[in-house]
Amino acid sequence: MGFLIYFALLILIPLWAQMKVKSAYKKYSKVPASSGMTGAQVARKILDDNGLYNVTVEPIQGKLTDHYDPRAKAVRLSEENYYGHSVAGAAVAAHEVGHAMQDAEEYAFLRFRHALVPVANFGSNSAIFIILAGILMQMSGLLLLGIIFMAGAVLFQLVTLPVEFNASSRAMEQIVSVGVIRNNEERETKKVLDAAALTYVAAALVAVMELLRFVLMYVGMRSDD
């Protein structure tokens, strides 16, 4: 019964977070920002006000595909947010600009996360197969190797949290200071940003739970040797 509850949590926690962000985005994408600025204009204004003239703002296809590309120095906004005038669009645009500001300032956690990318990619793609091989062959050393690789991917998830929270904090500060939103819109904007942050918290929580489960398996296997 305990395993069923555990696996249910692994599925339900990310689903709940996704539902929260989609619900908040859907609701506030229908609320026009009082400034009348599009997401593209919001991003451009914040970038220019912070001297980031070299960072471009580009539309991209898809829904909630918004991101900052540090290699191209580009804030890419989904077409709905790029051309739209909503509170949600302004929040998302400001958040992605927050990442551009982090990049320009060489924010420590962002640099650390970039350094972890190769480790995280290898861990995400290979760790589970090594772990399963270790369990099936009852080889504690192989299981431990898989756990170490998985730990790299989990560390990436954990380092992502301060990066995302900091970007959201910068977003709130910037859209208020440059007059993109009014006082009565701050609460709505924060709801969008908080809901988006939940997806990263949920992903990190699930990753830590899975890592601990395999660590306990390793401890049990070692005690049986």
Side-chain angles (χ1 to χ4, degrees):
M1 185 65 180
F3 277 110
L4 289 176
I5 294 174
Y6 173 80
F7 285 114
L9 287 174
L10 288 185
I11 296 170
L12 292 176
I13 290 172
L15 283 177
W16 171 75
Q18 285 292 332
M19 286 175 61
K20 289 284 288 184
V21 70
K22 287 181 179 178
S23 174
Y25 179 80
K26 182 178 180 180
K27 180 178 181 180
Y28 295 111
S29 63
K30 296 176 181 177
V31 178
S34 57
S35 66
M37 297 173 68
T38 65
Q41 290 171 331
V42 170
R44 186 72 267 160
K45 179 167 178 56
I46 297 175
L47 287 168
D48 290 349
D49 284 1
N50 286 274
L52 300 179
Y53 307 108
N54 63 316
V55 178
T56 60
V57 183
E58 305 168 357
I60 188 171
Q61 291 184 340
K63 194 175 184 67
L64 293 177
T65 49
D66 314 80
H67 65 279
Y68 169 66
D69 184 344
R71 292 167 298 180
K73 304 297 181 189
V75 170
R76 297 198 174 109
L77 303 176
S78 58
E79 291 180 341
E80 182 176 11
N81 290 331
Y82 186 92
Y83 297 107
H85 303 77
S86 70
V87 167
V92 171
H95 177 88
E96 299 310 331
V97 172
H99 287 309
M101 294 170 66
Q102 291 172 337
D103 186 28
E105 296 172 14
E106 297 190 340
Y107 179 60
F109 281 108
L110 184 66
R111 292 179 65 188
F112 187 30
R113 187 175 74 166
H114 286 165
L116 286 172
V117 168
V119 177
N121 287 340
F122 183 80
S124 298
N125 295 327
S126 307
I128 190 63
F129 298 107
I130 298 172
I131 287 171
L132 289 175
I135 294 171
L136 291 172
M137 293 187 286
Q138 288 295 294
M139 295 176 62
S140 60
L142 193 58
L143 175 57
L144 178 60
L145 181 63
I147 288 171
I148 292 170
F149 289 144
M150 178 176 277
V154 172
L155 180 60
F156 180 84
Q157 298 266 26
L158 293 176
V159 172
T160 294
L161 295 179
V163 172
E164 294 299 328
F165 282 118
N166 179 263
S168 289
S169 177
R170 291 170 186 261
M172 280 301 301
E173 180 183 340
Q174 289 296 318
I175 54 181
V176 171
S177 65
V178 302
V180 171
I181 62 171
R182 306 292 184 259
N183 289 338
N184 62 318
E185 294 171 323
E186 286 185 40
R187 184 167 168 269
E188 297 170 342
T189 305
K190 193 172 186 305
K191 283 185 177 181
V192 175
L193 294 173
D194 287 348
L198 270 180
T199 61
Y200 295 100
V201 174
L205 179 59
V206 167
V208 169
M209 287 169 62
E210 277 289 81
L211 181 64
L212 289 176
R213 180 166 73 96
F214 291 126
V215 168
L216 291 175
M217 283 186 180
Y218 171 75
V219 172
M221 190 179 293
R222 289 290 295 172
S223 65
D224 291 339
D225 290 345

